[in-house]
Amino acid sequence: MAFEFITNGDEYINYDSPNYMTNYPNVDKSTSGHWFAFNEFKVRYNGGQLLGHGGWYVKLDPSVKPVFLGEWSDGSAKVEFREKRIDDGGDPITQWEGVITNLSDNSTKIENYESSKEMRSIIGNLTTGTNYEDRDRCPAVNLWVGRSWIEDEQETLYFYAENSAMVDAVAEYYDLPQPYDTGLKQRLDDNPESMRFKSYDIYGKGEGNFAALVVAGIVFENKNPTMLKIFELKRWND
Amino acid sequence: MAYGFEAKNDSGNIIINDTIENLHFVGKATRGSNNSDYGSFPGYGGSNNSLDGRVIHYYTITCSGTPVAFIKPTDYARWHGIIKQSVSGTTWSFDVMISGTSTSNPPEIYCFVNADDVPSTSETHGMIVFKSDGTTKTFDSRVQPLAITGGANAVAPSDPTNSSGLPGTSTGHSWNYSSNDHDFKCTNRYNEYTDSNINTSNTMFSCPSLAQAVYKRQQHGYKESCGFLGCCCQDHHSTAAWWVMYRSAFRLRTNKFDAGWSVYAAGYSFSSSFESGGWFGGGGGSYSTGSMPYTAKTINLQSNAYIIADSSRYD
């Protein structure tokens, strides 16, 4: 079962499930109407603890729109991402927002996203935006990729986690626990592609030489760093 | 002619009589603020980023009648055009656009109105020509009548950009491709007209800036990533678009009147989207290209009369 706390969580099928569409298009009829993972994600913090997980889920019926869903591991909340177009005031790169639902009272709040100036320049030759120079930025980071915020609650600065030495330096700078365990730390150094968010031409080396952008984030509450987390995105063929 | 006075030029054309309203100098417009921009595409940092820039200087003058404005360049190398003329009460406003981004060397605007609209003068000598009503003036030599020294018809070329042709839209680019390949500068695009009366010391001109053009380059990028056994593919879209709006503008050179273009406004937009989103998956996927106020084209491109005069007569 993909989700423990989301309603009908057993209708979401992850890669490791025996009911995953391994024999596609000959899928088991009993689960053929379920949601299948296209991408899976995990968010880890505090020595590799799982903060939340979820994924992008599709149905085999192409007329059904996919969903982008996750839940907090403590059962406190779920998040569903939805498109926020640039025409509607959205960001040119991060064209989405997260709708976070508190599972105890069903109240919702929005997590907003924006890309950094440097990321916009790398991806789209844009010169707009900011690199958050007015924030407390760890000097070990080379590329701040963006930020998210929940009004009156918290802000997260995201950076390109190039290797474990950088992530460790960030943890030390903010006096926060490292986000991974030994295994994930090794994977970041040995096979960052396996957990990348996307591949981008970060170093300007041209097509075929894109860098695997692994994303980590520092959460701030009242400008105080409270959490260092790292994101694993898993694809079916990883 | 039952009354009045008539003067003709060497070609037999009437210069002064009781029905033709001659223009007379009413003053120079007062320059106010300015707005400088578009030396490059706003928000863009890639190739072919340069534009010619423009400064809009705002002028006003208070007078009776409808003034005809002449532009006397201070920097004759720049392109000039009056892009807007409006009135509130008896105060007239002129938006004068010149190429480049330097706010130095703004032009002077000489204004002319009908003889009857010129404030009265204490000068006691001269010649006044009245209409048949005997009170309305068509000419008054005491208040600096306009002496036209040259003129003809001029039109800007239909294509305003240094790169020829409409830049258009192309597809098939890689995802996030955003490299402008069209030179939107317009300095090399003009038609020149020979006029031996033009110099770059005193000559001023009047010519309406009516023609407008909007040009756009748009690039669509795409990438597809498919899931298990080709099931359920992930679309990645990107759109990069550069657009420039031009107004016709004019330049004086020794013995030359040039009709060309100047950038009025420009923009760059970029959108990168994909199915998925959030740092760990999440909504998004459709894409839009945005929209310009106009489709790419040139309008009001007509041959217009220009007239030139010697500004030093009115200093």
Side-chain angles (χ1 to χ4, degrees):
Chain A
M1 173 158 94
F3 295 114
E4 188 177 345
F5 305 105
I6 288 175
T7 306
N8 298 326
D10 58 346
E11 293 184 5
Y12 296 84
I13 301 175
N14 282 344
Y15 301 136
D16 56 1
S17 166
N19 290 324
Y20 193 69
M21 50 174 142
T22 313
N23 295 317
Y24 178 82
N26 302 312
V27 180
D28 183 346
K29 285 185 178 174
S30 66
T31 56
S32 62
H34 288 191
W35 296 96
F36 295 92
F38 186 96
N39 285 342
E40 293 178 20
F41 72 84
K42 289 176 180 168
V43 190
R44 297 196 181 273
Y45 76 118
N46 194 25
Q49 244 181 290
L50 190 63
L51 178 67
H53 72 103
W56 168 19
Y57 294 93
V58 298
K59 288 209 170 185
L60 297 179
D61 177 355
S63 66
V64 180
K65 287 188 172 180
V67 295
F68 313 93
L69 204 57
E71 69 179 14
W72 269 246
S73 298
D74 62 4
S76 62
K78 69 173 183 176
V79 60
E80 185 160 5
F81 287 91
R82 64 188 182 193
E83 181 179 25
K84 187 175 183 183
R85 289 185 180 203
I86 190 169
D87 295 344
D88 298 325
D91 187 271
I93 310 296
T94 56
Q95 297 190 41
W96 62 76
E97 61 185 9
V99 182
I100 298 170
T101 302
N102 184 323
L103 292 177
S104 62
D105 61 8
N106 280 327
S107 61
T108 60
K109 54 193 174 188
I110 301 294
E111 185 157 21
N112 306 281
Y113 290 82
E114 72 174 22
S115 54
S116 70
K117 181 177 183 177
E118 196 166 0
M119 204 61 196
R120 292 180 189 182
S121 174
I122 289 168
I123 295 176
N125 279 318
L126 288 158
T127 60
T128 57
T130 169
N131 289 317
Y132 318 114
E133 291 88 347
D134 59 339
R135 310 298 206 283
D136 178 17
R137 301 186 311 171
C138 172
V141 172
N142 294 319
L143 174 60
W144 296 93
V145 297
R147 122 186 135 100
S148 69
W149 69 98
I150 301 169
E151 293 293 345
D152 303 321
E153 192 169 313
Q154 67 176 43
E155 178 182 65
T156 303
L157 292 186
Y158 299 96
F159 64 96
Y160 170 29
E162 298 178 45
N163 49 52
S164 64
M166 175 184 285
V167 176
D168 291 351
V170 171
E172 186 176 348
Y173 179 83
Y174 294 109
D175 196 20
L176 293 169
Q178 294 174 4
Y180 37 48
D181 58 16
T182 310
L184 185 59
K185 180 175 181 173
Q186 197 67 45
R187 189 144 69 92
L188 173 63
D189 289 332
D190 295 347
N191 188 13
E193 289 79 11
S194 68
M195 54 190 291
R196 72 190 187 279
F197 165 65
K198 282 282 174 193
S199 295
Y200 288 114
D201 193 9
I202 293 173
Y203 302 114
K205 292 182 176 177
E207 202 132 10
N209 296 295
F210 288 5
L213 175 64
V214 177
V215 176
I218 307 122
V219 180
F220 294 86
E221 294 176 14
N222 296 319
K223 297 187 176 179
N224 297 313
T226 58
M227 183 189 295
L228 174 58
K229 52 189 182 180
I230 193 164
F231 300 85
E232 298 175 68
L233 196 85
K234 183 176 171 62
R235 294 159 175 82
W236 69 272
N237 54 352
D238 284 337
Chain B
M1 187 174 71
Y3 39 78
F5 170 89
E6 186 170 274
K8 295 181 178 178
N9 65 10
D10 291 345
S11 302
N13 298 319
I14 296 171
I15 303 300
I16 302 169
N17 71 4
D18 59 293
T19 57
I20 293 176
E21 298 269 12
N22 275 263
L23 293 171
H24 297 69
F25 184 59
V26 70
K28 293 182 188 177
T30 303
R31 185 168 53 87
S33 60
N34 62 65
N35 177 286
S36 173
D37 209 338
Y38 305 114
S40 59
F41 282 98
Y44 175 62
S47 59
N48 277 309
N49 190 18
S50 294
L51 297 170
D52 297 303
R54 63 101 173 112
V55 183
I56 299 175
H57 291 283
Y58 301 98
Y59 296 80
T60 57
I61 190 170
T62 299
C63 63
S64 301
T66 301
V68 173
F70 278 68
I71 298 174
K72 159 65 175 66
T74 304
D75 181 350
Y76 279 88
R78 297 166 80 169
W79 296 83
H80 296 72
I82 295 176
I83 58 171
K84 183 182 175 186
Q85 179 170 344
S86 60
V87 65
S88 174
T90 56
T91 298
W92 289 83
S93 299
F94 302 94
D95 296 358
V96 182
M97 185 168 78
I98 64 174
S99 61
T101 54
S102 169
T103 56
S104 302
N105 300 320
E108 292 188 291
I109 305 301
Y110 290 69
C111 297
F112 295 82
V113 293
N114 291 338
D116 219 46
D117 292 317
V118 178
S120 59
T121 174
S122 58
E123 180 61 54
T124 55
H125 292 71
M127 182 180 75
I128 303 174
V129 178
F130 291 97
K131 287 186 175 180
S132 59
D133 61 11
T135 57
T136 307
K137 290 179 282 190
T138 63
F139 179 85
D140 186 343
S141 68
R142 302 171 304 164
V143 287
Q144 297 175 284
L146 172 64
I148 295 172
T149 57
N153 292 321
V155 62
S158 59
D159 186 346
T161 65
N162 284 358
S163 289
S164 60
L166 279 171
T169 299
S170 58
T171 59
H173 298 285
S174 58
W175 182 48
N176 294 328
Y177 186 76
S178 54
S179 182
N180 179 26
D181 52 11
H182 193 88
D183 182 359
F184 282 89
K185 294 196 296 293
C186 50
T187 41
N188 297 339
R189 291 280 178 180
Y190 59 89
N191 292 327
E192 65 175 38
Y193 300 87
T194 300
D195 192 323
S196 61
N197 295 300
I198 296 175
N199 64 61
T200 55
S201 302
N202 305 319
T203 303
M204 60 183 181
F205 73 95
S206 181
C207 189
S209 171
L210 297 179
Q212 304 176 19
V214 177
Y215 270 39
K216 182 174 76 167
R217 175 77 175 106
Q218 188 159 305
Q219 296 167 342
H220 293 293
Y222 177 74
K223 185 179 84 168
E224 183 183 62
S225 302
C226 291
F228 191 77
L229 292 175
C231 167
C232 317
C233 295
Q234 180 185 32
D235 293 322
H236 301 66
H237 292 282
S238 65
T239 303
W242 302 258
W243 63 268
V244 178
M245 182 177 182
Y246 303 91
R247 291 290 298 265
S248 58
F250 309 96
R251 181 178 64 179
L252 300 179
R253 291 182 291 151
T254 302
N255 300 331
K256 299 288 184 189
F257 185 86
D258 295 330
W261 298 94
S262 185
V263 55
Y264 172 74
Y268 171 61
S269 65
F270 177 81
S271 172
S272 175
S273 64
F274 47 91
E275 291 175 299
S276 185
W279 298 124
F280 39 74
S286 65
Y287 73 103
S288 65
T289 60
S291 60
M292 294 195 311
Y294 311 100
T295 55
K297 61 185 168 189
T298 302
I299 62 171
N300 296 337
L301 187 67
Q302 298 290 334
S303 188
N304 291 116
Y306 71 88
I307 49 179
I308 58 175
D310 181 354
S311 65
S312 63
R313 292 172 181 266
Y314 310 97
D315 288 331

